[in-house]
Amino acid sequence: MKNLELYNGGLPVEEIFYKWYKLKWGGMLLTFTGIVRDDGGATGLSFDIYEPMLESWFDKWSDRVLMAHSIGDVLVGETSFMCGVYSKHREFKLIEEFVEDFKANAPIWKYDIIDGKRIFAKDRSKKLPNAGILK
């Protein structure tokens, strides 16, 4: 199993969690799950991912963190993002550091789905370092 998995549409949360639970890397599995919320009249979110850049970014985390993310449309109430940390001890700071790095640097572009149209969520997006995108 790769520590980074991408899925079309909403994530199969139970399947992913069960797979992670069975890995037995340590005595603790701490997970973070991102659920699409009803926000600003959107019926969902849509995601574009540049996979080679995402894999390169994730490399520095891959020995400590598991991650799953959606590509394409994810409706309100569905899950678009999961990450998990296995350890012998509590790793609350590690998962917080990962999520913050993910939000700032992962090459994933988010769109609101409003009236069946994808509208780039520029106000909730960050310019990627050295990418020249989102000026």
Side-chain angles (χ1 to χ4, degrees):
M1 179 187 120
K2 294 179 3 180
N3 290 351
L4 171 62
E5 297 180 290
L6 301 175
Y7 294 82
N8 290 316
L11 298 180
V13 175
E14 296 85 0
E15 174 187 317
I16 294 167
F17 183 81
Y18 185 73
K19 188 181 338 180
W20 290 357
Y21 176 79
K22 292 293 200 179
L23 289 176
K24 304 202 186 309
W25 283 358
M28 181 231 42
L29 172 61
L30 178 64
T31 60
F32 176 92
T33 305
I35 303 166
V36 176
R37 64 181 177 267
D38 181 5
D39 210 7
T43 56
L45 296 175
S46 189
F47 300 93
D48 289 340
I49 296 177
Y50 184 58
E51 292 182 41
M53 189 184 246
L54 180 65
E55 289 172 4
S56 177
W57 167 81
F58 186 73
D59 277 347
K60 69 181 176 187
W61 294 101
S62 64
D63 64 333
R64 301 173 289 164
V65 178
L66 304 157
M67 181 177 133
H69 202 285
S70 296
I71 298 173
D73 297 352
V74 183
L75 301 178
V76 167
E78 294 181 331
T79 298
S80 62
F81 172 68
M82 288 177 70
C83 63
V85 173
Y86 256 110
S87 177
K88 292 182 180 180
H89 307 286
R90 295 177 300 273
E91 291 283 356
F92 299 111
K93 287 189 185 269
L94 178 61
I95 205 159
E96 182 178 5
E97 289 171 13
F98 175 76
V99 170
E100 290 303 317
D101 187 30
F102 167 80
K103 289 169 68 175
N105 298 305
I108 298 175
W109 293 270
K110 184 188 314 186
Y111 301 80
D112 293 315
I113 302 172
I114 299 176
D115 296 328
K117 297 177 186 165
R118 289 173 27 129
I119 301 169
F120 182 60
K122 185 175 182 179
D123 60 328
R124 296 188 317 277
S125 299
K126 296 181 181 182
K127 181 180 177 187
L128 296 177
N130 305 314
I133 299 172
L134 301 178
K135 293 181 180 181

